[in-house]
Amino acid sequence: MERVPLERKVLNENDRIAADLRARFQEQGTLCLNFISSPGSGKTSLLERTLSSLPKGERVAVLTGDIQTENDANRLKRYGFPVKQITTGGTCHLDARMIERHLADWPLEDLDLLFIENVGNLVCPSSYDLGEEAKIVLLSVTEGEDKPLKYPSIFFKSQLMILNKVDLLPYVPFNVNAAVENARKVHPGIEIVKVSCLKGNGLDEWLIWLEKKRQAQKEKQPAAVR
Ligand SMILES: Nc1nc2c(ncn2[C@@H]2O[C@H](COP(=O)(O)OP(=O)(O)OP(=O)(O)O)[C@@H](O)[C@H]2O)c(=O)[nH]1
Ligand SMILES: [Mg+2]
């Protein structure tokens, strides 16, 4: 009986901080994207590919969340952009306060792009707004085409689904059309890009999506600060 009000209070507090973050991102024209998937679907691999394709002077930074280890931050730091690991110590998602704290010494006016890699988990991260402009859900072809139906919340809340590891399609019984259909049953408007972070297929389409979002975010910025 006591749990419900407490959970509601925690989520309300999260929403308040997330709204502040969103307002700051819009003010500065920073596009913030929140990547969510099961462990191992390829979030870090997609970010590695993305960072490696960006020019050196690009104003981009990454916050990457995990329960333990700095492994993902160490992978991502190789590309020369600012990266911080958020180690939750057991919590299965990032929350807005963690983002606020880790952004404290990064002036947002210096950032056009902020990538947040959430803790690998298809359930809990979907409940926590981080102030992002869009959630992006990754699904890999080894996970089964039924996942959008079994974990609908994150597919419903994501603007884009990235179907990763398409290089493995010849070896796994995964029906791409069924996966697309299932995602659109849950969220008819969801955009879908099919990629292989290993081989590079589809990454151009992802980078075009990203560029369009960046432009749109700049246009939301108040004219006075542009
Ligand atoms: N075959 C294949 N393997 C991939 C692809 N993308 C990623 N992998 C492999 O999948 C494994 C997990 O990739 P990560 O990028 O670490 O996945 P993640 O979602 O960041 O994992 P967590 O941060 O632990 O949740 C690694 O061994 C990658 O090399 C792909 O397109 N094809
Ligand atoms: Mg990772």
Side-chain angles (χ1 to χ4, degrees):
M1 292 295 277
E2 289 300 307
R3 275 187 67 193
V4 175
L6 183 61
E7 275 182 11
R8 196 172 299 136
K9 203 169 157 207
V10 169
L11 280 174
N12 287 347
E13 171 77 351
N14 188 79
D15 285 350
R16 190 186 57 71
I17 299 169
D20 283 355
L21 285 169
R22 183 166 289 109
R24 286 172 54 201
F25 294 144
Q26 287 187 358
E27 170 90 12
Q28 299 301 335
T30 308
L31 176 65
C32 175
L33 298 172
N34 179 4
F35 294 79
I36 297 173
S37 80
S38 298
S41 307
K43 299 177 293 300
T44 311
S45 302
L46 181 70
L47 289 173
E48 289 178 305
R49 282 286 197 167
T50 307
L51 295 180
S52 75
S53 77
L54 295 175
K56 282 283 165 278
E58 202 73 54
R59 293 154 30 111
V60 53
V62 187
L63 296 176
T64 181
D66 273 299
I67 289 176
Q68 289 294 349
T69 83
E70 299 259 332
N71 291 0
D72 283 2
N74 291 337
R75 283 168 64 184
L76 294 166
K77 276 178 187 163
R78 291 199 286 248
Y79 300 89
F81 300 104
V83 176
K84 274 190 208 170
Q85 181 80 46
I86 304 179
T87 309
T88 66
T91 306
C92 57
H93 58 267
L94 297 178
D95 64 36
R97 190 177 286 289
M98 296 175 194
I99 303 303
E100 185 185 48
R101 219 176 27 240
H102 285 81
L103 283 180
D105 58 347
W106 276 353
L108 280 187
E109 61 269 26
D110 293 348
L111 284 185
D112 291 328
L113 255 179
L114 175 65
F115 295 129
I116 301 176
E117 176 181 347
N118 221 307
V119 178
N121 184 322
L122 216 42
V123 183
C124 313
S126 80
S127 302
Y128 288 81
D129 185 3
L130 304 182
E132 73 279 330
E133 176 61 22
K135 290 182 172 61
I136 296 176
V137 62
L138 278 83
L139 175 67
S140 67
V141 304
T142 54
E143 293 168 48
E145 58 277 321
D146 58 348
K147 293 303 168 287
L149 301 178
K150 293 172 93 170
Y151 303 91
S153 172
I154 188 54
F155 290 87
F156 177 70
K157 291 181 179 173
S158 294
Q159 276 184 29
L160 174 68
M161 173 173 107
I162 293 191
L163 183 63
N164 188 29
K165 308 196 188 181
V166 296
D167 58 286
L168 296 178
L169 282 172
Y171 315 106
V172 290
F174 183 90
N175 183 333
V176 173
N177 291 338
V180 167
E181 210 172 283
N182 289 340
R184 295 222 159 107
K185 261 186 210 154
V186 172
H187 180 176
I190 196 166
E191 295 175 78
I192 297 173
V193 176
K194 299 163 200 157
V195 306
S196 165
C197 291
L198 183 68
K199 304 281 186 189
N201 321 41
L203 292 171
D204 286 352
E205 198 184 336
W206 149 243
L207 292 171
I208 290 168
W209 187 95
L210 180 62
E211 190 49 38
K212 266 199 217 138
K213 278 272 153 206
R214 281 175 70 161
Q215 292 305 327
Q217 188 73 3
K218 283 283 166 214
E219 281 158 25
K220 284 186 190 167
Q221 195 178 14
V225 285
R226 245 184 254 169

